[in-house]
Amino acid sequence: MSLKNRHALVCGASRGIGAATAAALARDGVAVTLLARNAEALQKVIQNLPVVKDRQHDFIVADVNDTEKLQLAVSEKTAAHNVQILINNSGGPAPGTANDADPQAYAEAFRQHLIADQVLMQTVLPGMKTSGYGRIINIISTSVKEPIPGLGVSNTIRAAVAAWAKTLSRELGTHGITVNNVLPGYTATERLDEIFRHQAKRAGRTLDEIVALRQAEVPLQRFAEPAEIAAAIAFLASPAASYINGVNLPVDGGRSRGY
Ligand SMILES: NC(=O)c1ccc[n+]([C@@H]2O[C@H](COP(=O)([O-])OP(=O)(O)OC[C@H]3O[C@@H](n4cnc5c(N)ncnc54)[C@H](OP(=O)(O)O)[C@@H]3O)[C@@H](O)[C@H]2O)c1
């Protein structure tokens, strides 16, 4: 049931959920290639990753919005080895209502999320097929089950990624490749801070008041640590999750009301 000798490409790995995922996978014996825009932050993450015997962790500095460069950078960096685990993850679209959103914001979000996910998947897919083992895990949002007020562009693009992932999960199973989505609840990262500051400004309330309100929505009465989301991602990446395919897995402390 081991992940030893596996290689992962973890996107959005310079902080937050991505960085925690890289650490969780490395602890399980996976050699990790990190991807994000900030080289200095990536270097710090890599220095703190658990060492994997006989193999090196590595990183790629790339902007997932720059589709051509992304494809080139990833194929160059991963030419020497197959990637069996792909974690599609990057920053969330700016907060704001759907009716106020600039139409261009939808086009940009589509490029940053769906187009980037497609390019990354196509780049690593031949290696997954050769390995007979593949895990494509997309970090999206509970908004695919219940749209979140004030996140109009994000709600829309997450649904597109969920539909893409479900379609892929039905196409790739014969190669031993599973495709699943992890839906984080409130997770203590820079992204959450940005959203709550926006909500506080819009509602004319303090940040502390918004934090208290949001914590009260969660049955566990607290936000997740990035490592708690990463633990679920690492499980889906493992051979133990071999029969889990095409699902949306909320990791939200029970906040979603549907079942
Ligand atoms: N935190 C939450 O409560 C929560 C809840 C639900 C869903 N989510 C979603 O889960 C995902 C990860 O969340 P997070 O809280 O870990 O976010 P975060 O703290 O903002 O981290 C985002 C990561 O993505 C990278 N990134 C952003 N834009 C990029 C780009 N254009 N190209 C390459 N890398 C890029 C960032 O690194 P660089 O700046 O170095 O590029 C960073 O490593 C996001 O999509 C978020 O919306 C989060």
Side-chain angles (χ1 to χ4, degrees):
M1 299 302 265
S2 161
L3 274 174
K4 287 197 177 71
N5 298 321
R6 299 299 185 196
H7 199 114
L9 172 61
V10 182
C11 302
S14 62
R15 61 173 188 263
I17 294 168
T21 300
L25 289 171
R27 265 194 302 277
D28 286 347
V30 177
V32 181
T33 299
L34 314 168
L35 186 148
R37 295 165 301 181
N38 185 330
E40 211 178 308
L42 285 170
Q43 250 150 1
K44 279 195 190 134
V45 173
I46 218 167
Q47 276 161 10
N48 291 317
L49 287 183
V51 173
V52 171
K53 199 168 169 256
D54 299 332
R55 284 170 320 136
Q56 300 286 319
H57 303 302
D58 203 351
F59 68 88
I60 299 171
V61 179
D63 184 338
V64 296
N65 290 303
D66 192 337
T67 310
E68 254 177 58
K69 279 195 194 153
L70 177 69
Q71 199 277 335
L72 208 65
V74 172
S75 45
E76 270 176 11
K77 205 58 150 184
T78 59
H81 54 76
N82 293 331
V83 168
Q84 292 89 13
I85 301 163
L86 169 63
I87 311 297
N88 278 320
N89 174 53
S90 76
T97 57
N99 74 84
D100 283 331
D102 184 331
Q104 192 55 29
Y106 287 98
E108 283 164 14
F110 198 76
R111 175 165 298 279
Q112 177 167 353
H113 292 271
L114 197 98
I115 307 270
D117 293 353
Q118 173 74 4
V119 164
L120 290 161
M121 178 275 294
Q122 287 187 329
T123 308
V124 301
L125 187 59
M128 288 185 180
K129 286 182 176 171
T130 305
S131 305
Y133 188 96
R135 298 283 189 263
I136 299 172
I137 302 167
N138 310 299
I139 315 311
I140 50 173
S141 168
T142 54
S143 67
V144 297
K145 293 188 176 284
E146 298 167 3
I148 300 171
L151 286 180
V153 176
S154 181
N155 291 341
T156 309
I157 200 63
R158 306 304 186 175
V161 173
W164 171 80
K166 187 68 187 174
T167 310
L168 275 184
S169 73
R170 299 196 54 87
E171 294 174 356
L172 298 177
T174 50
H175 300 280
I177 299 170
T178 64
V179 186
N180 293 295
N181 304 316
V182 168
L183 321 179
Y186 298 138
T187 309
T189 68
E190 287 185 27
R191 166 71 174 167
L192 195 67
D193 197 54
E194 179 201 1
I195 289 170
F196 288 170
R197 281 180 194 283
H198 184 266
Q199 290 179 357
K201 198 171 161 196
R202 212 181 43 179
R205 306 186 77 155
T206 66
L207 183 60
D208 284 350
E209 283 172 329
I210 295 293
V211 165
L213 276 174
R214 297 294 166 254
Q215 280 178 336
E217 289 172 20
V218 185
L220 296 180
Q221 301 286 295
R222 63 175 179 84
F223 303 142
E225 289 303 321
E228 293 178 289
I229 312 299
I233 298 168
F235 171 70
L236 287 175
S238 75
S242 51
Y243 208 62
I244 302 177
N245 187 28
V247 306
N248 286 311
L249 176 64
V251 187
D252 66 354
R255 194 193 75 209
S256 302
R257 287 170 184 274
Y259 55 88

